[in-house]
Amino acid sequence: MIGDGERLRIRWLGRVPYDEAHDLQRAVWEGRSNGRSSDDYLLLLEHPHTYTVGRNGDGSNLRIAEADLDEIGAELVFTDRGGDITYHGPGQLVGYPIVGVPELQDGWDAVGHLRRIEAMLIATLTDLGITAWAEDGFTGVWTDQGKVAAIGVKVSSGISMHGFSINVAPDLGYFNHIIPCGIPDRPVTSLSEIIGRSVGMESVVEALIPRAVEVFGGVPEVQLGAFQNRDRSRPYDIDAMVSAGVFSANRRGETPITVRGLLPGEPSKPEWMRIRANLSTDGFRDLKKLMRGMELHTVCEEAGCPNIFECWESGTSTMMLLGETCTRACAFCDVNTGKPGPVDTDEPVRAAIAVEQMGLRHAVLTSVNRDDLPDGGASVFVDTVTAIRDRMPDCEVEVLIPDFKGSTEDLETVMSSKPAVLNHNTETVLRLQRDIRTAANYARSLTLLARAKWMNPVGAVKSGLIVGMGETEEEVLGALADLRTVGVDIVTIGQYLRPTARHRPIDRYVEPDEFARYAVEGERLGLPHVEAGPLVRSSYHAREALEAAR
């Protein structure tokens, strides 16, 4: 066995840009090497078209001019693994084992780690009916039709990074633009070419997992995201909802019939989910009047938060910047989707005035997704944080941000304002990401959270999960482990409440005892604070959560 972690957490993440995958690896490596996590990881994914050059290469084995890479939709990356140049792209299974490596008298057993990965891949291909082998003097896995898998690793502080790639069904034409691994006289092949028919990624992942467990050891905990080759006759729930106009302002289409407020198959609402709506209190009326008078929006209203009465009565709200129309759609959210209007340049100042009039010590800012803007709205967050601090220097500001489509530059813009808390919600477990969110994914969210911690190590990083949408308790516990591993400080977990009859049905109401177990497990994992309960939302008890995490 290579690894020595308590668990082997295996994740199929789908298609991930190379720079995001590298930073996610780095975050998991960091968590594993500094003791934030005691678990090994195997990240499985595929990349967009990318050529990577390892430490043994200098780029001279690239056969296409760098200026022409855009024409074939590829990028060139110099990276810190061993080996020379290789290709990654759709249809290629990439695996990044982030595991403990045995120590030898003269250093870490990097060569042994590499050879054991070769053996793991050969055993996997054997299970798929393919004869493969390793060759003396070369690294990788070979068949009688050519090289089918490449390996390049890095070992630092006894923990590995990078790993292997298996050509399942990629466009082999992309290999013509390089001398693969710097070997000019050996062909490259794929599983589909060897077998003579298309091979699905899912079947290869399923064959690899038990072999990986044999090699890396640890108690396996497996979570698989969506696969690209899913049966098109079974559309994702979110796609059907978008087509039905669930998120549009005019709510076109038919509304499903409910019986006593329940969709077919939904459980009845338990007593602990009963919410007392009191719209007549002075605090609620005053805050509503203030927000309307300032022409400000709140996520409390737009997303139908169940805590609006409690929070508004106490003078707390989460202001939603950049309008009330989102460029994305998520199965749990009631915010309209469409083409947003122009940016209101006076909004940051009005938001700051509202914070001042409320006398807040902890202000929470969020926004709709604005994929239509060059910076995703990052500069508006900064302008608003600055305006609040100009008026109330002692007010802590928490920002709940979108993923900015993975842009490091946009995240750096937000982080330049040094928020007290950077919050970005993961929303759900890996398996349900594609069914719940659009234009967002699990790997990108984890990467954003890790990058935020690097950019401001003294600030708190926070994320949130919604339960009751079809996940299992084990999946939630795995997500908590992932969040802790990449450096998250605070996690909120709350019950999904369907906004309308047209939204995703409620799968179950999570018992209070289960929420309590999440908090206990979060503490065991080392998370400074987990706020878990049926009515918990991202901004619920935000100031108290930050104090508890310090």
Side-chain angles (χ1 to χ4, degrees):
M1 296 191 306
I2 301 176
D4 57 1
E6 293 181 5
R7 285 181 175 267
L8 175 61
R9 299 192 185 274
I10 300 174
R11 304 287 186 260
W12 164 252
L13 298 170
R15 191 167 300 174
V16 183
Y18 189 85
D19 67 320
E20 294 179 35
H22 186 274
D23 280 358
L24 180 55
Q25 279 191 81
R26 176 187 161 200
V28 175
W29 172 87
E30 182 183 83
R32 181 71 171 84
S33 61
N34 69 12
R36 199 164 57 211
S37 171
S38 59
D39 300 324
D40 289 330
Y41 272 79
L42 174 59
L43 305 181
L44 301 173
L45 48 92
E46 61 180 353
H47 290 303
H49 301 297
T50 309
Y51 295 107
T52 66
V53 181
R55 296 189 307 271
N56 298 344
D58 59 7
S60 59
N61 286 317
L62 180 69
R63 287 175 157 173
I64 183 175
E66 287 190 46
D68 295 334
L69 287 173
D70 284 346
E71 294 184 16
I72 62 172
E75 65 172 335
L76 178 67
V77 178
F78 286 82
T79 190
D80 54 350
R81 61 163 172 79
D84 200 313
I85 193 168
T86 193
Y87 162 77
H88 296 308
Q92 184 189 74
L93 173 60
V94 177
Y96 295 128
I98 306 166
V99 302
V101 175
E103 187 173 8
L104 302 177
Q105 188 173 0
D106 58 349
W108 303 108
D109 187 21
V111 173
H113 173 61
L114 187 151
R115 298 305 172 205
R116 286 184 287 265
I117 291 176
E118 283 180 341
M120 176 188 72
L121 299 182
I122 291 169
T124 299
L125 297 186
T126 300
D127 293 341
L128 293 169
I130 296 173
T131 302
W133 58 85
E135 292 196 0
D136 291 340
F138 295 100
T139 298
V141 176
W142 306 78
T143 72
D144 57 8
Q145 294 188 40
K147 188 174 185 179
V148 74
I151 303 174
V153 301
K154 172 186 177 181
V155 178
S156 180
S157 301
I159 309 297
S160 66
M161 278 185 61
H162 299 286
F164 60 87
S165 59
I166 305 173
N167 297 331
V168 179
D171 181 347
L172 294 177
Y174 278 84
F175 284 96
N176 295 332
H177 299 298
I178 61 173
I179 300 176
C181 301
I183 307 172
D185 58 347
R186 304 297 294 269
V188 174
T189 189
S190 68
L191 303 188
S192 294
E193 192 173 71
I194 295 168
I195 295 175
R197 58 175 173 78
S198 178
V199 178
M201 188 69 72
E202 188 169 3
S203 62
V204 182
V205 169
E206 289 176 351
L208 175 71
I209 287 174
R211 294 299 188 176
V213 174
E214 290 176 2
V215 170
F216 300 129
V219 178
E221 189 260 313
V222 181
Q223 297 201 32
L224 307 179
F227 287 88
Q228 291 287 330
N229 60 350
R230 172 167 163 160
D231 183 355
R232 294 180 182 273
S233 67
R234 297 184 295 116
Y236 292 100
D237 287 355
I238 190 65
D239 295 334
M241 290 167 64
V242 171
S243 298
V246 170
F247 308 99
S248 62
N250 59 15
R251 297 291 200 264
R252 66 182 187 277
E254 297 181 0
T255 299
I257 296 175
T258 60
V259 178
R260 295 189 299 277
L262 303 177
L263 291 170
E266 276 192 327
S268 298
K269 182 180 290 188
E271 189 59 37
W272 70 78
M273 289 303 307
R274 307 289 178 182
I275 304 166
R276 182 180 63 86
N278 188 351
L279 309 182
S280 61
T281 63
D282 291 340
F284 185 92
R285 288 198 305 265
D286 291 346
L287 189 50
K288 189 177 184 70
K289 182 179 179 180
L290 174 64
M291 292 301 162
R292 294 297 78 76
M294 292 285 185
E295 297 183 343
L296 295 171
H297 302 284
T298 69
V299 75
C300 322
E301 295 172 287
E302 302 297 337
C305 179
N307 301 309
I308 188 170
F309 314 110
E310 175 188 349
C311 294
W312 281 31
E313 168 61 19
S314 65
T316 302
S317 71
T318 298
M319 279 175 280
M320 191 166 74
L321 307 173
L322 294 163
E324 56 185 346
T325 302
C326 187
T327 54
R328 301 188 191 178
C330 294
F332 56 85
C333 186
D334 201 27
V335 176
N336 292 334
T337 298
K339 183 178 179 179
V343 173
D344 181 351
T345 56
D346 293 329
E347 185 179 50
V349 172
R350 295 201 309 276
I353 293 172
V355 169
E356 183 180 36
Q357 291 189 12
M358 285 187 281
L360 297 183
R361 289 180 292 163
H362 187 104
V364 183
L365 307 174
T366 189
S367 78
V368 291
N369 275 281
R370 289 297 301 262
D371 295 326
D372 59 312
L373 300 177
D375 69 349
S379 58
V380 174
F381 275 99
V382 174
D383 291 345
T384 309
V385 173
T386 302
I388 291 172
R389 287 188 177 142
D390 286 345
R391 290 178 173 272
M392 301 189 69
D394 295 330
C395 180
E396 295 176 321
V397 183
E398 175 174 333
V399 293
L400 172 56
I401 64 170
D403 63 20
F404 300 122
K405 297 190 287 189
S407 169
T408 303
E409 181 180 356
D410 295 342
L411 178 61
E412 286 175 337
T413 296
V414 172
M415 296 306 293
S416 70
S417 68
K418 292 291 191 292
V421 181
L422 186 289
N423 190 352
H424 171 73
N425 286 334
T426 314
E427 308 294 10
T428 189
V429 299
L430 176 55
R431 177 176 57 85
L432 295 178
Q433 290 281 317
R434 180 63 184 85
D435 232 357
I436 301 297
R437 308 167 85 188
T438 57
N441 65 71
Y442 194 75
R444 175 164 288 172
S445 290
L446 291 180
T447 303
L448 180 152
L449 294 163
R451 287 171 170 171
K453 194 64 176 177
W454 294 332
M455 292 174 189
N456 184 18
V458 299
V461 174
K462 179 177 177 181
S463 191
L465 297 167
I466 305 170
V467 294
M469 294 193 287
E471 75 295 322
T472 67
E473 184 171 348
E474 182 181 21
E475 287 176 317
V476 175
L477 296 178
L480 283 174
D482 296 346
L483 291 168
R484 176 55 183 161
T485 297
V486 301
V488 170
D489 302 298
I490 303 168
V491 178
T492 59
I493 309 175
Q495 170 70 47
Y496 168 58
L497 296 174
R498 173 173 47 77
T500 73
R502 294 156 61 81
H503 282 75
R504 183 183 181 87
I506 296 170
D507 179 74
R508 66 183 177 122
Y509 286 100
V510 176
E511 297 277 346
D513 286 351
E514 186 172 327
F515 282 110
R517 289 196 294 273
Y518 294 146
V520 170
E521 176 65 7
E523 181 179 349
R524 187 195 71 79
L525 290 166
L527 280 160
H529 185 68
V530 176
E531 185 84 18
L535 299 182
V536 168
R537 292 297 183 268
S538 297
S539 305
Y540 188 57
H541 292 170
R543 181 170 62 84
E544 294 84 352
L546 177 58
E547 290 298 324
R550 284 174 167 163

